[in-house]
Amino acid sequence: LGLSGPPGAGKSTFIECFGKMLTERKYKVSVLAVDPSSSTSGGSLLGDKTRMTELSRDMNAYIRPSPTRGTLGGVTRTTNEAILLCEGGGYNVVLVETVGVGQSEFAVADMVDMFILLLPPAGGDELQGIKRGIIEMADLVAINKADGDLVVPARRIQAEYVSAMKLLRKRSRVWRPKV
């Protein structure tokens, strides 16, 4: 599964909860978390692992943060090979978290079985901010953080995306992207 979305959408939190659910059901889960690299040093904070504290201690989970090192598209130059290594290593589920910084961070869509766009419910003009490119590639759009005071904005954003996705050309004869 590939996951992308804007900063603050809750990608790492979602992955930790989903990953824990999978490991409790006896799946082996691998997380390939891609972080942006510094244009100055080329390094990265690799902070995603620190935000997945429970999953990082789980013996049925493997978390590998990697810097982009200038690669565009939200993944690293070797993400596809890393996916294959994880599958060969016996991991049933491989989750790839992209950098998630804009509308062109969807190179992972061609590497995975399902590409999920994770969105927060109250980020302003969502349809303007995300744009067409990444929406066209999404197999699933998940509105995250849809609880408490954010239930109403989440329902509004869901309706906007359902309407917007009706205007897009279908990528598959058998699957219609869900929101």
Side-chain angles (χ1 to χ4, degrees), residues 29-175:
V29 177
S30 175
V31 178
L32 302 174
V34 182
D35 285 327
S37 296
S38 165
S39 58
T40 306
S41 68
S44 179
L45 290 177
L46 305 176
D48 289 311
K49 191 170 185 174
T50 62
R51 287 196 302 260
M52 298 180 210
T53 54
E54 287 183 43
L55 192 60
S56 67
R57 290 189 299 256
D58 192 313
M59 294 304 293
N60 288 315
Y62 169 72
I63 302 173
R64 171 68 181 166
S66 300
T68 59
R69 291 193 177 102
T71 302
L72 299 177
V75 293
T76 71
R77 186 178 47 80
T78 59
T79 296
N80 204 41
E81 291 82 358
I83 292 170
L84 294 173
L85 283 170
C86 291
E87 289 173 341
Y91 290 92
N92 311 87
V93 179
V94 180
L95 304 172
V96 181
E97 179 185 358
T98 72
V99 170
V101 294
Q103 64 196 35
S104 63
E105 307 303 320
F106 55 78
V108 73
D110 293 328
M111 301 176 188
V112 297
D113 297 319
M114 176 173 258
F115 177 54
I116 302 168
L117 177 60
L118 202 62
L119 298 172
D125 189 354
E126 282 78 7
L127 289 174
Q128 181 63 28
I130 296 299
K131 301 283 186 186
R132 190 172 180 134
I134 199 164
I135 295 172
E136 289 176 320
M137 301 305 291
D139 297 306
L140 177 69
V141 175
I143 311 301
N144 201 17
K145 303 180 180 183
D147 58 354
D149 292 340
L150 296 175
V151 170
V152 173
R155 294 283 183 215
R156 182 180 51 80
I157 297 307
Q158 177 187 19
E160 286 180 17
Y161 272 90
V162 167
S163 295
M165 292 184 81
K166 289 178 185 174
L167 304 173
L168 302 177
R169 186 179 54 168
K170 293 174 182 62
R171 290 181 35 208
S172 168
R173 292 182 188 173
V174 296
W175 178 256

